[in-house]
Amino acid sequence: MLRFIFTRLSHMLIALFVITVIVFSLSHLTGSPIDALLPDDATQQQIDSLTEHLGLDRPYYVQYLTFLQNAAVGDFGDSTKWKGNTAAGVVLERLPATLKLGGLAVLISVAVAIPLGVLSAIWRGSIFDRMAGIIALLGQSFPAFWLGIILMWIFAVTLGWFPTSGYGGLSYMILPAIAMAWFQIAALTRLTRSAMLEVLDTEYVKLARVKGVSERAVIWKHAFRNAAIVPVTYFGVLAGSLLTGSVVVETVFAWPGTGLLAIDAIRGRDFPVVQSVVMFFAVFYLLANFLVDVLYAVVDPRIRFS
């Protein structure tokens, strides 16, 4: 088990290193932040002075090594758009809002998709199964931004049940959380259904029924317990994609989280904040998948011994 954890941890560190290279490279392709920080009538002396102060006059490999060294201790520099704040501080200030929204979206996804997938597998070929298939198909077809706009139009503008945008309590979170969770509900439902169908046809499930075990125990104790390996594997992707997918939804609903912060930082060419947001997202995504790998090995011993 320790060897398995060490192997997965080394893979995570290699992926994180590659991500740092990509983040550093892409952030410099958007242009120089000098254009956003100085007025149009700035003198060449002002431009040269600010360039030297930000270290942009150094070779790219020197800038990358400096970035890597500082990132290792959580120092991504000072924000050029939000004066007087560090880049990491700006991200940490917005991170709780994104975690609240993403947490509610994960809760909605699991609460809806797992029972829907299990029941559609039990009643295979029924009207309920067909309805679940339609929901899954539509969920994987609707873009999150389009669904968010439609939800806002129907439930906020027309019916007036929820606020259209902004930051607040549960009523402000319902619509954006549903918009974020819809695609994941569809994917998780299909995975749960296919896994349950495979397990329900196994010999040990048939034997449990022959021995007189109650149908509820057969489904939830014997079948779902083994079929849960597939949804557990997908859960890492689910958690990571809901966090990173907040960029679009937070922009639509003006939710002041890290997603909206990333858009504002890109528009302002704030390299440190953009790098901080992406690195926070990457670390969260890698940690979520690492924990899922470990949990997967705990659930299925064949994984850690293979």
Side-chain angles (χ1 to χ4, degrees), residues 22-33 56 60 63 271 275:
I22 296 174
V23 169
F24 178 82
S25 303
L26 292 181
S27 62
H28 282 67
L29 292 178
T30 60
S32 174
L56 299 177
Y60 281 122
Q63 295 184 43
F271 289 171
Q275 293 170 345

Side-chain angles (χ1 to χ4, degrees), residues 1-74:
M1 186 65 178
L2 291 177
R3 182 181 178 183
F4 174 82
I5 294 176
F6 178 78
T7 302
R8 288 295 184 268
L9 187 60
S10 62
H11 292 170
M12 185 182 72
L13 294 177
I14 293 173
L16 188 60
F17 171 75
V18 175
I19 290 171
T20 59
V21 176
I22 296 174
V23 169
F24 178 82
S25 303
L26 292 181
S27 62
H28 282 67
L29 292 178
T30 60
S32 174
I34 302 298
D35 299 333
L37 294 174
L38 292 179
D40 296 335
D41 57 349
T43 64
Q44 187 62 39
Q45 182 179 3
Q46 291 175 318
I47 295 175
D48 294 340
S49 176
L50 184 58
T51 301
E52 182 180 358
H53 175 70
L54 296 177
L56 299 177
D57 58 333
R58 302 173 185 174
Y60 281 122
Y61 74 91
V62 176
Q63 295 184 43
Y64 171 72
L65 291 177
T66 303
F67 162 74
L68 193 62
Q69 181 181 1
N70 294 333
V73 294

Side-chain angles (χ1 to χ4, degrees), residues 15 17 21 43 46 64 96 103-104 112 123 140 155 164 186 226 236 239-240 257-258 261 264 271 303:
F17 171 75
V21 176
T43 64
Q46 291 175 318
Y64 171 72
L104 181 59
V112 174
W123 298 326
Q140 293 183 305
F155 296 101
T164 55
N226 289 275
T258 52
L261 174 66
D264 293 337
F271 289 171
I303 299 300

Side-chain angles (χ1 to χ4, degrees), residues 114-137:
I114 297 299
L116 192 62
V118 171
L119 294 177
S120 62
I122 296 172
W123 298 326
R124 177 173 43 181
S126 64
I127 297 178
F128 181 86
D129 185 24
R130 295 173 185 173
M131 291 178 60
I134 294 174
I135 292 174
L137 177 63

